[in-house]
Every structure is written in C-alpha cells, then in structure tokens.
Amino acid sequence: MTTAEFRLTDAERALLPGPEDVAHYREHGWYLSERLFSDAELDSLQAATELYYAGHRDRELPVRPPRLASWKPADGPVQRHNDYVHHESDAIGAILRKPLVGAVAALLAGAEEIRIFQATLIYKPPVPEEPTNRVPWHFDKHYWQTCTSEEMLTAFIPFHDCGDENGTITMIDGSHRWKELASGEDSTRHFADRDGSELEAILAANAAHNGQEVRKVPMPIPRGHVSFHHCRTYHGSGPNLASFPRRAVSLHLQDGANAYRRHERPDGCPVVYNHDVLVRRTADGRPDYADPDFCPPVWRGAL
C-alpha cells in the first residue's frame, strides 16, 4: 500500500477511539469499537469464506507450518479454525486490510504502524454439546513468544450480532496488567489441545498471585462492530446455543516495532511460530515478521 491508501475519510475518523477509549483499553485490556464494517462488507466477507470452505484458494502456502490450523470438511462438525485466510484468499484479505481497523489498532497500541500478524477464520457450529465450541481461558502472547512486542492486539470480527447465546468472546477484565506466574506456555501447547480445567486453574492462580478477582466480561458485539483486546488479556468463550453458526475472524495485529526473537522452551529447544518456516529472512537471518506477503500493513502514519 502507498501512504495515500492509509488515509481515512472524515466519516471514518469520527469512528476512531477517543482519549477516554484509549485510556479504558489501557486499564481494562479490551475495547468495543464503533461500527467499522458495513453490511455489504460483511456479506462479501461471508460469501468469500463460503468459497474458502468449499476449497477456493487464490494461492497456497509454500510449505505447511508445524502448528497450522486448517479445518477441512473431513474434520466434521467441530469448531473450525483456519489460519492465513488473509493470504490464501484475495477477497478475504482485501476486507481484513481495511485501514480503518488498522487505525483503531494503532491508537490503542500507541503505534504509527500496524501489520497483520495472523488471521484465523472461525466457525462455531450450532451444536451446544460439541466440546471444541468451548474456548478455555488463555492469552495470545503465550503463543507469540517469538515476538519482541508487548503491545500486539487482536481484533475479533463477527459476521453478525454476537452475544451470549452464540458464545461471544469473554474478557477477564484488567488481566493484561497482571504479573504472570512462571509457566511453560508457548505455541507448542495450544489451548485447543488442553484440558479446560487446567487453564481455569492457571487463570485462578494468576489472579490470586496479583491479589485480583477474576472479573469475566462477556462482549455483546453488534454486527459491524469489532472487539479489540490486548495480547495479555485473558479471554475465552462458551458454547454456541443459537440455531445458526457463529462466524468470525480473529485478526491478530502487530505494531511496527515487532520483530522475531529467539525463545526457548524449558528443555532448551527453540519455539517455532508458523511464520518462521514461511516468511522471508532479515539481513541477519531471522524470520522477518514484516514480510508483506504474510504480514501486510493495515495502517501507517500518525493519527
């Protein structure tokens, strides 16, 4: 994108978070935006994801990363997670790169550049008893240990009104400011493969360590609005009790200063994020988290 492509209209600028909103995000770790997407954009996004589920790809990943989320029809009526949808589908990517979303993230993160880090398409089927529909408590930075930034954030973009009935995202208020107990959490121990009671116990232990109560804040999200949360904010979601699937994209965003760093597990083995086998290399041989093919910018400039 050129600098001109990051400009906002006056109407879009009116939708940006104000100083009080930014202060709320810094204190609580989450923010519910104004309406950032139109009905037409979300209708187009859903149509593009239906094509994606049917097998359409504008490009394939050159190699399959070790921890790739890649639901396929043979996996059945479980909760679907598909990574790199912004890269594999031009139609999906064009909508997710909307500069207005990047500008909101830039203000919340205090950055002048925001890039996509990952985009995961999520489909929670209307099957209340399906165990994969429950997302246990976790925070995203655990899975981004190879990132230098502490200001990364996620934009949760439902395609429809999203509330308690269909298992909306729920935040643990203020948890991004907690001092964390030592743990071995990283991208090799994904929450989807874990016992929910174990992660509930980790959350409770961290709250007690900080002298805090666990304050759960469900996020009712009207269609077109977007929920943002800090990379250290604990969050999760319950089952889908509605008669229709819960469709959303979890758009993970990085500030311009973010870069790769080596991170080792307790056994000394390096942690590998999926990007590390896909992106280009920096001059000193590290994975480049600014590779525009996989981590395109969505905002650049002062606001």
Side-chain angles (χ1 to χ4, degrees):
M1 278 188 167
T2 65
T3 303
E5 290 176 284
F6 292 111
R7 291 177 183 166
L8 302 178
T9 66
D10 289 342
E12 288 176 323
R13 285 189 170 275
L15 301 174
L16 294 174
E20 290 185 359
D21 298 315
V22 174
H24 179 280
Y25 172 80
R26 300 279 168 83
E27 180 180 354
H28 295 274
W30 53 269
Y31 166 70
L32 181 61
S33 79
E34 300 294 331
R35 182 159 198 180
L36 306 185
F37 289 100
S38 68
D39 285 338
E41 287 172 320
L42 292 174
D43 288 345
S44 296
L45 183 57
Q46 181 162 322
T49 63
E50 287 297 338
L51 289 173
Y52 183 91
Y53 285 137
H56 173 80
R57 303 290 187 274
D58 291 297
R59 65 192 55 80
E60 300 281 351
L61 297 178
V63 297
R64 185 180 177 89
R67 297 287 303 178
L68 182 68
S70 183
W71 179 89
K72 53 190 181 301
D75 296 328
V78 296
Q79 183 173 190
R80 310 176 189 178
H81 282 210
N82 291 85
D83 294 336
Y84 293 102
V85 292
H86 66 294
H87 175 80
E88 294 183 319
S89 166
D90 288 339
I92 295 174
I95 295 170
L96 296 182
R97 291 193 303 273
K98 187 172 185 174
L100 177 57
V101 175
V104 172
L107 285 169
L108 297 177
E112 290 196 5
E113 178 177 301
I114 295 290
R115 302 186 298 264
I116 290 178
F117 189 67
Q118 181 60 273
T120 301
L121 177 62
I122 303 172
Y123 178 109
K124 186 178 283 196
V127 185
E129 66 277 10
E130 170 53 47
T132 61
N133 271 354
R134 293 182 178 272
V135 177
W137 303 114
H138 67 285
F139 65 72
D140 299 329
K141 180 63 176 176
H142 273 156
Y143 309 103
W144 302 337
Q145 300 281 22
T146 57
C147 291
T148 58
S149 175
E150 295 291 334
E151 297 300 331
M152 295 170 70
L153 66 168
T154 294
F156 180 74
I157 307 168
F159 298 2
H160 46 73
D161 290 344
C162 196
D164 289 340
E165 186 183 23
N166 51 14
T168 192
I169 191 168
T170 296
M171 309 297 180
I172 303 300
D173 196 50
S175 55
H176 66 304
R177 296 186 286 114
W178 294 355
K179 300 292 185 183
E180 187 188 9
L181 289 166
S183 74
E185 303 297 319
D186 62 55
S187 56
T188 67
R189 305 183 70 230
H190 198 270
F191 65 82
D193 304 327
R194 309 277 292 283
D195 186 305
S197 61
E198 177 195 3
L199 294 172
E200 186 91 39
I202 290 173
L203 171 64
N206 274 297
H209 178 66
N210 286 270
Q212 299 293 321
E213 295 181 1
V214 175
R215 297 187 300 276
K216 300 176 182 179
V217 182
M219 301 291 291
I221 307 170
R223 190 178 198 221
H225 296 243
V226 177
S227 166
F228 290 81
H229 62 266
H230 188 275
C231 64
R232 287 189 174 274
T233 299
Y234 274 99
H235 58 283
S237 66
N240 182 9
L241 306 176
S243 60
F244 58 93
R246 196 205 71 178
R247 301 170 184 262
V249 169
S250 223
L251 183 62
H252 304 305
L253 301 166
Q254 56 178 320
D255 52 290
N258 185 53
Y260 170 88
R261 67 174 181 189
R262 181 182 173 90
H263 182 81
E264 294 182 352
R265 291 160 49 191
D267 63 5
C269 293
V271 170
V272 177
Y273 185 74
N274 284 337
H275 286 349
D276 302 348
V277 300
L278 292 171
V279 298
R280 68 191 183 186
R281 292 302 187 259
T282 61
D284 58 1
R286 294 174 298 134
D288 185 1
Y289 289 172
D291 182 342
D293 285 343
F294 297 97
C295 304
V298 288
W299 181 259
R300 188 176 291 138
L303 285 162

